[in-house]
């Protein structure tokens, strides 16, 4: 089906000023471009986890699967293995995928399954009214940590590089054009793509002023140098006051999980034929 409205008429309950709107409209623009290029949106599947971000499944008018908490990535992996012709996009949250579903994320990167994971990283559990997540800064005061969290945050970019992600980028919801380029690049990339998006939570952790004075764009050019990607990923550790790089950190070509699984399967003898042969030999 083409030419359909891409935003559904479901009642939108995101707070005014929420960065989720930027990601929604960025995805809408990307989907429109795909249609203009003659690609059928019937071949696109959106998978979401649980959290404010997950309402994307209700608000975008494409095939979608509302998974359980932290489980969007394994669902997306299953969908891609079942039909590798599909474009599979995951919208996940930082609490959702860097906590509950972290092992799935690491293994998806390790396998290089060809899916695109967009992390709505607002660094707080917004849907449950403001608890700290793995990327909240040290001392973050929320519902579960009224005197401040004593934990240092996780650096998800460093973790994704170590896990084997073949496309890694960081975007920001106040920079929509760049975000569109980064997500489109991730969708076009053949392999596991992770785009960590600094998403403003207008209600429980609005740090737009902090980001606005620190973000800068990475230069374009060759992105296949793993060590310089690691160095850039470490420049800001999600806790310090240093500058924050935005853009594509790393990209390389590598065989995908689904291609390897399918070619291995082709080498496996047909199980039923092998059983029939065995039974015949017993007669
Ligand atoms: Fe957005 Fe935060 Fe409101 Fe959730 S709680 S809808 S993330 S502003």
């Amino acid at each position: 089906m083409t030419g359909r409205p891409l935003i559904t008429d479901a009642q939108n309950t995101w707070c005014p000023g929420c960065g989720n709107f930027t990601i929604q409209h960025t995805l809408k623009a990307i989907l429109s471009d795909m249609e203009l290029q003659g690609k059928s949106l019937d071949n696109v599947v959106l998978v979401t986890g649980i959290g404010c971000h997950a309402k994307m499944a209700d608000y975008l008018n494409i095939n979608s699967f509302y998974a359980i908490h932290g489980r969007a990535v394994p669902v997306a992996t299953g969908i891609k293995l079942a039909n590798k012709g599909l474009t599979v996009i995951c919208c996940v949250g930082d609490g959702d995928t860097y906590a509950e579903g972290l092992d799935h994320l690491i293994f998806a990167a390790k396998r290089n399954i060809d899916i695109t994971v967009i992390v709505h990283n607002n660094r707080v559990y917004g849907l449950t009214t403001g608890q700290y997540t793995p990327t909240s800064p040290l001392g973050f005061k929320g519902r579960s940590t009224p005197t401040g969290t004593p934990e240092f945050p996780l650096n998800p970019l460093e973790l994704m590089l170590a896990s084997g992600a073949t496309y890694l980028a960081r975007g920001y919801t106040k920079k929509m054009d760049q975000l569109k380029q980064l997500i489109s690049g991730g969708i076009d990339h053949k392999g596991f793509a992770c785009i960590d998006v600094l998403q403003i939570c207008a209600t429980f952790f609005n740090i737009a002023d902090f980001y606005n004075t620190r973000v800068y764009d990475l230069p374009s050019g060759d992105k296949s140098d793993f060590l310089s990607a690691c160095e850039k990923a470490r420049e800001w550790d999600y806790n310090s006051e240093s500058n924050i790089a935005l853009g594509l950190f790393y990209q390389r070509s590598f065989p995908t999980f689904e291609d390897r699984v399918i070619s291995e399967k082709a080498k496996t003898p047909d199980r039923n034929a092998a059983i029939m042969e065995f039974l015949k030999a017993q007669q």
Side-chain angles (χ1 to χ4, degrees), residues 189-205:
H189 174 74
K190 196 164 163 46
F192 179 81
C194 180
I195 302 104
D196 178 76
V197 183
L198 300 176
Q199 180 234 310
I200 297 300
C201 172
T203 303
F204 296 107
F205 198 35

Side-chain angles (χ1 to χ4, degrees), residues 12-21 51-53 55 120 122 124-130 199-206:
N12 192 310
T13 57
W14 285 329
C15 311
C18 175
N20 282 322
F21 286 105
C52 293
H53 74 273
K55 297 175 187 176
H120 298 222
N122 56 16
V124 68
Y125 283 101
L127 190 68
T128 48
T129 67
Q199 180 234 310
I200 297 300
C201 172
T203 303
F204 296 107
F205 198 35
N206 191 343

